[in-house]
Amino acid sequence: MGIRRTRIGAGTWIVAGLVAVALVCVVTGFLPRSDAGALGERIAPVLGFVVAITIVAELARDAAVFDVVSQRLARWGRGRVLALWALVVALAVVSTVFLSLDTTAVIVTPVVVVLAQSIGVSPLPFALATVWLANTASLALPVSNLTNLLAAPAIGDGPGAFIALSWAPTLVGILVPVAILTVMHRRTVFGAYETPAPRRPADPMLFWSATGILLVLMPLLALTHDVWIPATVAALALIGLFAVRRRRALRLSLVPWQALALAASLFVLVEAAHAQGLLDFLTSPTVNGDSPGDLFRLAALGAVSANAINNLPAYLVLEPAAGDPVALMALLIGVNIGPLITPWASLATLLWHHRIVALGVTIRWSRFMLWGVVAAVPTVLAAVLVLMLVSG
């Protein structure tokens, strides 16, 4: 009998290396103990939410919630691709806003791609819509993006303060990319298709129970300050439901171990660099939100940095440069809406690409990056403009 060897991907080795360096920073005191303790208190609820919402999304998919919704959208479109297009955009926005951008990239993308393929429509515009909106619509609520969860306490007390600044830039982040995609793929969008026959979920009780949990959870995420609490309750409810109805679906891989390790190590490494003053040249002078030029520069720096090194470390590095809530929102515009160009600008983009390739959809990175420039530049500029308008 031969020994089966498991191949470890390059991404896993990179994450393992980052974790090792982060541990060295903590053990050696390069990150002072007091700073490490404060960092732990800050990121524990954030990472707890990431675990809970990932479990919720994965189990909702296993309960066929997203599959059934996509089939309903196809029937509601009544054979007109334009109507289906609008419904898919709405699905991607709702998924991103309430369940986070990774849910849209990882779970909604395969659903809409398979839907498009099943009705004989090009899946490319639908796939691009999910990855663009996963990033650009993730400005809406604190729960929509990990960067938002980090910024929300400094922006104000409760989700209302965040929404007061984010709603207008979020609308821009939705409307501008969708308009660009509609024009780019107008031959597909203004076509027709044959409505598929309805399909029922294999376990209706599991489907309706999971759907009910999601419908209760989503408004709570928009109204609750400590979002990890309702997300954890929903995750536990779904785990209990699956323990009774489909125990085999409960697996350790429901927890996003690699994403957690990557995020935690980046938190530690950037905090250590800040503690040692290594990043002071990037964060001085502080932007206080009074100057339009400063807001544009901060958003542009956030977008460029996100496309260069990934949006999470870009936010962590530049966060001290934002001196007030308006400046923080400008930075979020850059690091949330801007990462449409390079493949590594957002983890959601890499996850999305893995999914579409597995489904037989191909797109050259050179073309993806060119389209990303076309979408990101006007969207970031317009979002900063409306931010200045709503912030007075």
Side-chain angles (χ1 to χ4, degrees):
M1 180 183 295
I3 298 175
R4 182 179 178 181
R5 297 182 179 180
T6 302
R7 183 178 179 181
I8 300 176
T12 302
W13 285 114
I14 292 171
V15 172
L18 290 173
V19 170
V21 175
L23 288 173
V24 170
C25 289
V26 174
V27 172
T28 61
F30 191 76
L31 175 62
R33 182 172 299 178
S34 59
D35 291 338
L39 177 65
E41 292 180 4
R42 182 187 184 191
I43 68 173
V46 172
L47 296 181
F49 170 79
V50 171
V51 172
I53 203 64
T54 302
I55 292 174
V56 167
E58 291 284 351
L59 292 180
R61 176 183 61 182
D62 290 345
V65 172
F66 294 100
D67 289 330
V68 171
V69 168
S70 71
Q71 291 298 318
R72 295 283 174 88
L73 297 185
R75 298 213 308 276
W76 292 342
R78 297 182 179 275
R80 293 170 296 176
V81 178
L82 182 61
L84 178 61
W85 172 249
L87 291 167
V88 166
V89 166
L91 173 63
V93 169
V94 171
S95 169
T96 301
V97 169
F98 293 102
L99 301 177
S100 85
L101 73 168
D102 291 337
T103 296
T104 302
V106 174
I107 294 176
V108 175
T109 292
V111 169
V112 299
V113 166
V114 171
L115 172 62
Q117 291 171 332
S118 69
I119 61 176
V121 173
S122 170
L124 185 57
F126 294 91
L128 286 172
T130 57
V131 72
W132 280 10
L133 290 171
N135 289 285
T136 61
S138 71
L139 195 67
L141 295 177
V143 299
S144 308
N145 199 320
L146 185 55
T147 55
N148 300 354
L149 286 171
L150 295 171
I155 288 178
D157 187 19
F162 190 96
I163 296 170
L165 291 177
S166 70
W167 70 269
T170 299
L171 283 179
V172 170
I174 295 169
L175 296 176
V176 174
V178 170
I180 291 172
L181 283 173
T182 302
V183 172
M184 285 169 45
H185 298 277
R186 56 191 177 276
R187 291 184 179 179
T188 297
V189 171
F190 291 96
Y193 66 93
E194 187 172 336
T195 305
R199 291 187 300 176
R200 294 184 178 182
D203 188 335
M205 181 178 176
L206 192 62
F207 164 76
W208 286 112
S209 299
T211 301
I213 291 171
L214 280 182
L215 291 176
V216 172
L217 174 64
M218 289 193 293
L220 291 177
L221 294 178
L223 300 172
T224 308
H225 181 266
D226 296 317
V227 292
W228 67 272
I229 296 176
T232 301
V233 172
L236 292 174
L238 282 169
I239 289 172
L241 177 65
F242 271 80
V244 174
R245 303 292 299 182
R246 193 184 298 169
R247 187 183 295 270
R248 66 182 181 278
L250 299 177
R251 54 201 185 274
L252 286 176
S253 60
L254 289 174
V255 178
W257 301 108
Q258 187 163 316
L260 287 177
L262 175 63
S265 60
L266 288 174
F267 285 138
V268 170
L269 294 174
V270 175
E271 187 67 20
H274 279 306
Q276 299 298 326
L278 301 179
L279 302 175
D280 289 350
F281 72 100
L282 288 174
T283 59
S284 181
T286 298
V287 176
N288 59 20
D290 292 334
S291 166
D294 284 343
L295 294 181
F296 278 115
R297 281 193 292 273
L298 187 55
L301 184 58
V304 171
S305 300
N307 282 289
I309 62 172
N310 184 267
N311 64 333
L312 179 57
Y315 172 80
L316 294 172
V317 168
L318 296 171
E319 183 184 50
D324 69 6
V326 177
L328 267 175
M329 187 57 64
L331 175 58
L332 288 176
I333 288 173
V335 300
N336 289 6
I337 294 178
L340 300 182
I341 302 172
T342 60
W344 55 83
S346 167
L347 177 61
T349 302
L350 293 173
L351 296 172
W352 165 86
H353 186 258
H354 176 74
R355 291 299 190 277
I356 66 167
V357 168
L359 293 171
V361 180
T362 58
I363 178 173
R364 294 196 303 271
W365 281 123
S366 58
R367 178 172 295 183
F368 177 87
M369 294 171 70
L370 177 61
W371 288 343
V373 171
V374 171
V377 173
T379 308
V380 169
L381 292 176
V384 175
L385 280 174
V386 298
L387 171 63
M388 290 189 292
L389 292 175
V390 299
S391 64

PDB file of all heavy atoms in Angstrom, residues 11-48:
ATOM      1  N   GLY A  11      -0.053  29.191  -0.951  1.00  0.00           N
ATOM      2  CA  GLY A  11      -0.754  30.114  -0.055  1.00  0.00           C
ATOM      3  C   GLY A  11      -0.673  29.672   1.394  1.00  0.00           C
ATOM      4  O   GLY A  11      -0.513  30.503   2.298  1.00  0.00           O
ATOM      5  N   THR A  12      -0.764  28.355   1.630  1.00  0.00           N
ATOM      6  CA  THR A  12      -0.680  27.836   2.995  1.00  0.00           C
ATOM      7  C   THR A  12       0.693  28.093   3.596  1.00  0.00           C
ATOM      8  O   THR A  12       0.818  28.481   4.766  1.00  0.00           O
ATOM      9  CB  THR A  12      -0.986  26.328   3.008  1.00  0.00           C
ATOM     10  OG1 THR A  12      -2.284  26.115   2.455  1.00  0.00           O
ATOM     11  CG2 THR A  12      -0.934  25.779   4.417  1.00  0.00           C
ATOM     12  N   TRP A  13       1.739  27.904   2.791  1.00  0.00           N
ATOM     13  CA  TRP A  13       3.093  28.165   3.284  1.00  0.00           C
ATOM     14  C   TRP A  13       3.290  29.643   3.601  1.00  0.00           C
ATOM     15  O   TRP A  13       3.949  29.997   4.596  1.00  0.00           O
ATOM     16  CB  TRP A  13       4.131  27.707   2.255  1.00  0.00           C
ATOM     17  CG  TRP A  13       4.307  26.228   2.178  1.00  0.00           C
ATOM     18  CD1 TRP A  13       4.005  25.412   1.124  1.00  0.00           C
ATOM     19  CD2 TRP A  13       4.807  25.370   3.214  1.00  0.00           C
ATOM     20  NE1 TRP A  13       4.284  24.112   1.424  1.00  0.00           N
ATOM     21  CE2 TRP A  13       4.782  24.040   2.706  1.00  0.00           C
ATOM     22  CE3 TRP A  13       5.270  25.595   4.514  1.00  0.00           C
ATOM     23  CZ2 TRP A  13       5.211  22.961   3.451  1.00  0.00           C
ATOM     24  CZ3 TRP A  13       5.697  24.503   5.269  1.00  0.00           C
ATOM     25  CH2 TRP A  13       5.671  23.209   4.729  1.00  0.00           C
ATOM     26  N   ILE A  14       2.738  30.512   2.771  1.00  0.00           N
ATOM     27  CA  ILE A  14       2.861  31.948   3.027  1.00  0.00           C
ATOM     28  C   ILE A  14       2.185  32.322   4.338  1.00  0.00           C
ATOM     29  O   ILE A  14       2.742  33.061   5.164  1.00  0.00           O
ATOM     30  CB  ILE A  14       2.263  32.754   1.851  1.00  0.00           C
ATOM     31  CG1 ILE A  14       3.120  32.566   0.597  1.00  0.00           C
ATOM     32  CG2 ILE A  14       2.144  34.232   2.201  1.00  0.00           C
ATOM     33  CD1 ILE A  14       2.500  33.151  -0.655  1.00  0.00           C
ATOM     34  N   VAL A  15       0.968  31.809   4.540  1.00  0.00           N
ATOM     35  CA  VAL A  15       0.243  32.105   5.783  1.00  0.00           C
ATOM     36  C   VAL A  15       1.010  31.561   6.981  1.00  0.00           C
ATOM     37  O   VAL A  15       1.133  32.230   8.015  1.00  0.00           O
ATOM     38  CB  VAL A  15      -1.180  31.519   5.729  1.00  0.00           C
ATOM     39  CG1 VAL A  15      -1.864  31.650   7.074  1.00  0.00           C
ATOM     40  CG2 VAL A  15      -1.997  32.219   4.652  1.00  0.00           C
ATOM     41  N   ALA A  16       1.529  30.339   6.855  1.00  0.00           N
ATOM     42  CA  ALA A  16       2.300  29.752   7.957  1.00  0.00           C
ATOM     43  C   ALA A  16       3.523  30.609   8.287  1.00  0.00           C
ATOM     44  O   ALA A  16       3.864  30.809   9.464  1.00  0.00           O
ATOM     45  CB  ALA A  16       2.725  28.329   7.597  1.00  0.00           C
ATOM     46  N   GLY A  17       4.183  31.132   7.266  1.00  0.00           N
ATOM     47  CA  GLY A  17       5.338  32.000   7.490  1.00  0.00           C
ATOM     48  C   GLY A  17       4.962  33.291   8.202  1.00  0.00           C
ATOM     49  O   GLY A  17       5.656  33.744   9.120  1.00  0.00           O
ATOM     50  N   LEU A  18       3.824  33.879   7.784  1.00  0.00           N
ATOM     51  CA  LEU A  18       3.361  35.106   8.442  1.00  0.00           C
ATOM     52  C   LEU A  18       3.007  34.854   9.902  1.00  0.00           C
ATOM     53  O   LEU A  18       3.309  35.672  10.780  1.00  0.00           O
ATOM     54  CB  LEU A  18       2.151  35.663   7.697  1.00  0.00           C
ATOM     55  CG  LEU A  18       2.418  36.258   6.310  1.00  0.00           C
ATOM     56  CD1 LEU A  18       1.098  36.601   5.622  1.00  0.00           C
ATOM     57  CD2 LEU A  18       3.296  37.494   6.411  1.00  0.00           C
ATOM     58  N   VAL A  19       2.369  33.728  10.182  1.00  0.00           N
ATOM     59  CA  VAL A  19       2.024  33.383  11.563  1.00  0.00           C
ATOM     60  C   VAL A  19       3.282  33.213  12.400  1.00  0.00           C
ATOM     61  O   VAL A  19       3.356  33.691  13.545  1.00  0.00           O
ATOM     62  CB  VAL A  19       1.172  32.094  11.599  1.00  0.00           C
ATOM     63  CG1 VAL A  19       1.021  31.586  13.031  1.00  0.00           C
ATOM     64  CG2 VAL A  19      -0.193  32.349  10.983  1.00  0.00           C
ATOM     65  N   ALA A  20       4.299  32.556  11.841  1.00  0.00           N
ATOM     66  CA  ALA A  20       5.552  32.353  12.579  1.00  0.00           C
ATOM     67  C   ALA A  20       6.212  33.689  12.909  1.00  0.00           C
ATOM     68  O   ALA A  20       6.673  33.909  14.042  1.00  0.00           O
ATOM     69  CB  ALA A  20       6.499  31.475  11.756  1.00  0.00           C
ATOM     70  N   VAL A  21       6.256  34.592  11.937  1.00  0.00           N
ATOM     71  CA  VAL A  21       6.860  35.908  12.177  1.00  0.00           C
ATOM     72  C   VAL A  21       6.056  36.688  13.219  1.00  0.00           C
ATOM     73  O   VAL A  21       6.619  37.348  14.095  1.00  0.00           O
ATOM     74  CB  VAL A  21       6.958  36.709  10.860  1.00  0.00           C
ATOM     75  CG1 VAL A  21       7.481  38.117  11.127  1.00  0.00           C
ATOM     76  CG2 VAL A  21       7.873  35.990   9.875  1.00  0.00           C
ATOM     77  N   ALA A  22       4.724  36.592  13.135  1.00  0.00           N
ATOM     78  CA  ALA A  22       3.878  37.284  14.110  1.00  0.00           C
ATOM     79  C   ALA A  22       4.129  36.754  15.520  1.00  0.00           C
ATOM     80  O   ALA A  22       4.204  37.530  16.487  1.00  0.00           O
ATOM     81  CB  ALA A  22       2.407  37.117  13.735  1.00  0.00           C
ATOM     82  N   LEU A  23       4.272  35.436  15.665  1.00  0.00           N
ATOM     83  CA  LEU A  23       4.555  34.855  16.976  1.00  0.00           C
ATOM     84  C   LEU A  23       5.897  35.328  17.513  1.00  0.00           C
ATOM     85  O   LEU A  23       6.036  35.608  18.716  1.00  0.00           O
ATOM     86  CB  LEU A  23       4.536  33.322  16.883  1.00  0.00           C
ATOM     87  CG  LEU A  23       3.159  32.676  16.693  1.00  0.00           C
ATOM     88  CD1 LEU A  23       3.303  31.178  16.450  1.00  0.00           C
ATOM     89  CD2 LEU A  23       2.285  32.927  17.920  1.00  0.00           C
ATOM     90  N   VAL A  24       6.871  35.437  16.645  1.00  0.00           N
ATOM     91  CA  VAL A  24       8.187  35.941  17.058  1.00  0.00           C
ATOM     92  C   VAL A  24       8.066  37.379  17.577  1.00  0.00           C
ATOM     93  O   VAL A  24       8.669  37.747  18.589  1.00  0.00           O
ATOM     94  CB  VAL A  24       9.186  35.860  15.893  1.00  0.00           C
ATOM     95  CG1 VAL A  24      10.472  36.609  16.233  1.00  0.00           C
ATOM     96  CG2 VAL A  24       9.505  34.403  15.563  1.00  0.00           C
ATOM     97  N   CYS A  25       7.255  38.197  16.891  1.00  0.00           N
ATOM     98  CA  CYS A  25       7.070  39.589  17.317  1.00  0.00           C
ATOM     99  C   CYS A  25       6.476  39.663  18.723  1.00  0.00           C
ATOM    100  O   CYS A  25       6.871  40.506  19.534  1.00  0.00           O
ATOM    101  CB  CYS A  25       6.163  40.323  16.335  1.00  0.00           C
ATOM    102  SG  CYS A  25       6.909  40.666  14.731  1.00  0.00           S
ATOM    103  N   VAL A  26       5.535  38.771  19.009  1.00  0.00           N
ATOM    104  CA  VAL A  26       4.887  38.781  20.321  1.00  0.00           C
ATOM    105  C   VAL A  26       5.826  38.232  21.392  1.00  0.00           C
ATOM    106  O   VAL A  26       5.983  38.814  22.470  1.00  0.00           O
ATOM    107  CB  VAL A  26       3.580  37.961  20.288  1.00  0.00           C
ATOM    108  CG1 VAL A  26       2.974  37.844  21.684  1.00  0.00           C
ATOM    109  CG2 VAL A  26       2.580  38.608  19.339  1.00  0.00           C
ATOM    110  N   VAL A  27       6.473  37.104  21.109  1.00  0.00           N
ATOM    111  CA  VAL A  27       7.324  36.440  22.100  1.00  0.00           C
ATOM    112  C   VAL A  27       8.539  37.293  22.457  1.00  0.00           C
ATOM    113  O   VAL A  27       8.946  37.376  23.627  1.00  0.00           O
ATOM    114  CB  VAL A  27       7.762  35.055  21.580  1.00  0.00           C
ATOM    115  CG1 VAL A  27       8.814  34.440  22.506  1.00  0.00           C
ATOM    116  CG2 VAL A  27       6.567  34.129  21.468  1.00  0.00           C
ATOM    117  N   THR A  28       9.142  37.941  21.468  1.00  0.00           N
ATOM    118  CA  THR A  28      10.353  38.723  21.705  1.00  0.00           C
ATOM    119  C   THR A  28      10.072  40.113  22.247  1.00  0.00           C
ATOM    120  O   THR A  28      10.996  40.817  22.650  1.00  0.00           O
ATOM    121  CB  THR A  28      11.159  38.863  20.402  1.00  0.00           C
ATOM    122  OG1 THR A  28      10.362  39.561  19.425  1.00  0.00           O
ATOM    123  CG2 THR A  28      11.573  37.498  19.868  1.00  0.00           C
ATOM    124  N   GLY A  29       8.815  40.531  22.252  1.00  0.00           N
ATOM    125  CA  GLY A  29       8.493  41.870  22.733  1.00  0.00           C
ATOM    126  C   GLY A  29       8.621  42.940  21.672  1.00  0.00           C
ATOM    127  O   GLY A  29       8.503  44.133  21.984  1.00  0.00           O
ATOM    128  N   PHE A  30       8.883  42.539  20.415  1.00  0.00           N
ATOM    129  CA  PHE A  30       8.906  43.539  19.349  1.00  0.00           C
ATOM    130  C   PHE A  30       7.553  44.248  19.268  1.00  0.00           C
ATOM    131  O   PHE A  30       7.474  45.433  18.965  1.00  0.00           O
ATOM    132  CB  PHE A  30       9.239  42.855  18.021  1.00  0.00           C
ATOM    133  CG  PHE A  30       9.548  43.818  16.901  1.00  0.00           C
ATOM    134  CD1 PHE A  30      10.768  44.477  16.844  1.00  0.00           C
ATOM    135  CD2 PHE A  30       8.615  44.064  15.897  1.00  0.00           C
ATOM    136  CE1 PHE A  30      11.054  45.364  15.812  1.00  0.00           C
ATOM    137  CE2 PHE A  30       8.890  44.943  14.865  1.00  0.00           C
ATOM    138  CZ  PHE A  30      10.118  45.596  14.825  1.00  0.00           C
ATOM    139  N   LEU A  31       6.505  43.491  19.540  1.00  0.00           N
ATOM    140  CA  LEU A  31       5.195  44.081  19.807  1.00  0.00           C
ATOM    141  C   LEU A  31       5.026  44.085  21.324  1.00  0.00           C
ATOM    142  O   LEU A  31       4.876  43.028  21.937  1.00  0.00           O
ATOM    143  CB  LEU A  31       4.070  43.275  19.158  1.00  0.00           C
ATOM    144  CG  LEU A  31       2.639  43.741  19.477  1.00  0.00           C
ATOM    145  CD1 LEU A  31       2.408  45.159  18.969  1.00  0.00           C
ATOM    146  CD2 LEU A  31       1.607  42.795  18.889  1.00  0.00           C
ATOM    147  N   PRO A  32       5.080  45.257  21.971  1.00  0.00           N
ATOM    148  CA  PRO A  32       4.998  45.316  23.437  1.00  0.00           C
ATOM    149  C   PRO A  32       3.756  44.618  23.972  1.00  0.00           C
ATOM    150  O   PRO A  32       2.707  44.592  23.323  1.00  0.00           O
ATOM    151  CB  PRO A  32       4.961  46.830  23.706  1.00  0.00           C
ATOM    152  CG  PRO A  32       5.645  47.437  22.531  1.00  0.00           C
ATOM    153  CD  PRO A  32       5.285  46.579  21.366  1.00  0.00           C
ATOM    154  N   ARG A  33       3.902  44.061  25.186  1.00  0.00           N
ATOM    155  CA  ARG A  33       2.821  43.274  25.764  1.00  0.00           C
ATOM    156  C   ARG A  33       1.534  44.089  25.903  1.00  0.00           C
ATOM    157  O   ARG A  33       0.442  43.592  25.652  1.00  0.00           O
ATOM    158  CB  ARG A  33       3.253  42.728  27.116  1.00  0.00           C
ATOM    159  CG  ARG A  33       2.210  41.837  27.787  1.00  0.00           C
ATOM    160  CD  ARG A  33       2.768  41.179  29.031  1.00  0.00           C
ATOM    161  NE  ARG A  33       3.911  40.327  28.703  1.00  0.00           N
ATOM    162  CZ  ARG A  33       4.613  39.654  29.613  1.00  0.00           C
ATOM    163  NH1 ARG A  33       4.292  39.742  30.901  1.00  0.00           N
ATOM    164  NH2 ARG A  33       5.627  38.901  29.246  1.00  0.00           N
ATOM    165  N   SER A  34       1.658  45.338  26.319  1.00  0.00           N
ATOM    166  CA  SER A  34       0.456  46.173  26.481  1.00  0.00           C
ATOM    167  C   SER A  34      -0.247  46.390  25.146  1.00  0.00           C
ATOM    168  O   SER A  34      -1.479  46.345  25.063  1.00  0.00           O
ATOM    169  CB  SER A  34       0.834  47.524  27.103  1.00  0.00           C
ATOM    170  OG  SER A  34       1.779  48.205  26.279  1.00  0.00           O
ATOM    171  N   ASP A  35       0.543  46.608  24.082  1.00  0.00           N
ATOM    172  CA  ASP A  35      -0.043  46.785  22.754  1.00  0.00           C
ATOM    173  C   ASP A  35      -0.678  45.485  22.258  1.00  0.00           C
ATOM    174  O   ASP A  35      -1.737  45.504  21.613  1.00  0.00           O
ATOM    175  CB  ASP A  35       1.024  47.242  21.754  1.00  0.00           C
ATOM    176  CG  ASP A  35       1.506  48.659  22.036  1.00  0.00           C
ATOM    177  OD1 ASP A  35       0.768  49.414  22.694  1.00  0.00           O
ATOM    178  OD2 ASP A  35       2.619  49.003  21.615  1.00  0.00           O
ATOM    179  N   ALA A  36      -0.036  44.367  22.576  1.00  0.00           N
ATOM    180  CA  ALA A  36      -0.594  43.072  22.165  1.00  0.00           C
ATOM    181  C   ALA A  36      -1.926  42.811  22.867  1.00  0.00           C
ATOM    182  O   ALA A  36      -2.879  42.312  22.256  1.00  0.00           O
ATOM    183  CB  ALA A  36       0.397  41.956  22.474  1.00  0.00           C
ATOM    184  N   GLY A  37      -2.007  43.161  24.160  1.00  0.00           N
ATOM    185  CA  GLY A  37      -3.261  42.982  24.889  1.00  0.00           C
ATOM    186  C   GLY A  37      -4.377  43.849  24.337  1.00  0.00           C
ATOM    187  O   GLY A  37      -5.513  43.384  24.156  1.00  0.00           O
ATOM    188  N   ALA A  38      -4.048  45.111  24.033  1.00  0.00           N
ATOM    189  CA  ALA A  38      -5.055  46.009  23.465  1.00  0.00           C
ATOM    190  C   ALA A  38      -5.502  45.525  22.088  1.00  0.00           C
ATOM    191  O   ALA A  38      -6.691  45.595  21.743  1.00  0.00           O
ATOM    192  CB  ALA A  38      -4.491  47.429  23.373  1.00  0.00           C
ATOM    193  N   LEU A  39      -4.553  45.010  21.314  1.00  0.00           N
ATOM    194  CA  LEU A  39      -4.889  44.488  19.992  1.00  0.00           C
ATOM    195  C   LEU A  39      -5.810  43.282  20.115  1.00  0.00           C
ATOM    196  O   LEU A  39      -6.791  43.146  19.366  1.00  0.00           O
ATOM    197  CB  LEU A  39      -3.617  44.103  19.245  1.00  0.00           C
ATOM    198  CG  LEU A  39      -3.796  43.471  17.861  1.00  0.00           C
ATOM    199  CD1 LEU A  39      -4.428  44.472  16.904  1.00  0.00           C
ATOM    200  CD2 LEU A  39      -2.463  42.973  17.314  1.00  0.00           C
ATOM    201  N   GLY A  40      -5.523  42.398  21.071  1.00  0.00           N
ATOM    202  CA  GLY A  40      -6.364  41.226  21.263  1.00  0.00           C
ATOM    203  C   GLY A  40      -7.793  41.597  21.609  1.00  0.00           C
ATOM    204  O   GLY A  40      -8.745  41.004  21.091  1.00  0.00           O
ATOM    205  N   GLU A  41      -7.961  42.586  22.489  1.00  0.00           N
ATOM    206  CA  GLU A  41      -9.308  43.034  22.857  1.00  0.00           C
ATOM    207  C   GLU A  41     -10.043  43.626  21.662  1.00  0.00           C
ATOM    208  O   GLU A  41     -11.267  43.498  21.546  1.00  0.00           O
ATOM    209  CB  GLU A  41      -9.223  44.076  23.979  1.00  0.00           C
ATOM    210  CG  GLU A  41      -8.748  43.503  25.310  1.00  0.00           C
ATOM    211  CD  GLU A  41      -8.674  44.567  26.380  1.00  0.00           C
ATOM    212  OE1 GLU A  41      -9.075  45.732  26.104  1.00  0.00           O
ATOM    213  OE2 GLU A  41      -8.220  44.250  27.503  1.00  0.00           O
ATOM    214  N   ARG A  42      -9.308  44.268  20.772  1.00  0.00           N
ATOM    215  CA  ARG A  42      -9.942  44.906  19.611  1.00  0.00           C
ATOM    216  C   ARG A  42     -10.367  43.887  18.566  1.00  0.00           C
ATOM    217  O   ARG A  42     -11.453  43.989  17.983  1.00  0.00           O
ATOM    218  CB  ARG A  42      -8.971  45.917  18.986  1.00  0.00           C
ATOM    219  CG  ARG A  42      -9.555  46.659  17.804  1.00  0.00           C
ATOM    220  CD  ARG A  42      -8.517  47.520  17.115  1.00  0.00           C
ATOM    221  NE  ARG A  42      -9.122  48.294  16.037  1.00  0.00           N
ATOM    222  CZ  ARG A  42      -8.431  48.975  15.117  1.00  0.00           C
ATOM    223  NH1 ARG A  42      -7.109  48.964  15.151  1.00  0.00           N
ATOM    224  NH2 ARG A  42      -9.059  49.631  14.172  1.00  0.00           N
ATOM    225  N   ILE A  43      -9.509  42.891  18.302  1.00  0.00           N
ATOM    226  CA  ILE A  43      -9.774  42.011  17.161  1.00  0.00           C
ATOM    227  C   ILE A  43     -10.550  40.754  17.534  1.00  0.00           C
ATOM    228  O   ILE A  43     -11.091  40.095  16.647  1.00  0.00           O
ATOM    229  CB  ILE A  43      -8.471  41.607  16.447  1.00  0.00           C
ATOM    230  CG1 ILE A  43      -7.614  40.696  17.341  1.00  0.00           C
ATOM    231  CG2 ILE A  43      -7.691  42.833  16.015  1.00  0.00           C
ATOM    232  CD1 ILE A  43      -6.389  40.135  16.621  1.00  0.00           C
ATOM    233  N   ALA A  44     -10.637  40.409  18.819  1.00  0.00           N
ATOM    234  CA  ALA A  44     -11.344  39.184  19.204  1.00  0.00           C
ATOM    235  C   ALA A  44     -12.797  39.179  18.729  1.00  0.00           C
ATOM    236  O   ALA A  44     -13.241  38.203  18.101  1.00  0.00           O
ATOM    237  CB  ALA A  44     -11.256  38.972  20.716  1.00  0.00           C
ATOM    238  N   PRO A  45     -13.591  40.240  18.988  1.00  0.00           N
ATOM    239  CA  PRO A  45     -14.968  40.215  18.476  1.00  0.00           C
ATOM    240  C   PRO A  45     -15.043  40.264  16.958  1.00  0.00           C
ATOM    241  O   PRO A  45     -15.976  39.703  16.363  1.00  0.00           O
ATOM    242  CB  PRO A  45     -15.603  41.461  19.105  1.00  0.00           C
ATOM    243  CG  PRO A  45     -14.474  42.338  19.485  1.00  0.00           C
ATOM    244  CD  PRO A  45     -13.337  41.442  19.814  1.00  0.00           C
ATOM    245  N   VAL A  46     -14.059  40.897  16.320  1.00  0.00           N
ATOM    246  CA  VAL A  46     -14.046  40.972  14.858  1.00  0.00           C
ATOM    247  C   VAL A  46     -13.837  39.581  14.260  1.00  0.00           C
ATOM    248  O   VAL A  46     -14.575  39.146  13.373  1.00  0.00           O
ATOM    249  CB  VAL A  46     -12.947  41.944  14.378  1.00  0.00           C
ATOM    250  CG1 VAL A  46     -12.806  41.884  12.866  1.00  0.00           C
ATOM    251  CG2 VAL A  46     -13.262  43.373  14.831  1.00  0.00           C
ATOM    252  N   LEU A  47     -12.826  38.874  14.749  1.00  0.00           N
ATOM    253  CA  LEU A  47     -12.555  37.533  14.234  1.00  0.00           C
ATOM    254  C   LEU A  47     -13.658  36.563  14.634  1.00  0.00           C
ATOM    255  O   LEU A  47     -13.976  35.634  13.885  1.00  0.00           O
ATOM    256  CB  LEU A  47     -11.199  37.045  14.739  1.00  0.00           C
ATOM    257  CG  LEU A  47      -9.983  37.855  14.267  1.00  0.00           C
ATOM    258  CD1 LEU A  47      -8.691  37.254  14.807  1.00  0.00           C
ATOM    259  CD2 LEU A  47      -9.934  37.941  12.751  1.00  0.00           C
ATOM    260  N   GLY A  48     -14.255  36.769  15.809  1.00  0.00           N
ATOM    261  CA  GLY A  48     -15.391  35.942  16.206  1.00  0.00           C
ATOM    262  C   GLY A  48     -16.552  36.085  15.246  1.00  0.00           C
ATOM    263  O   GLY A  48     -17.212  35.095  14.891  1.00  0.00           O
TER     264      GLY A  48
END
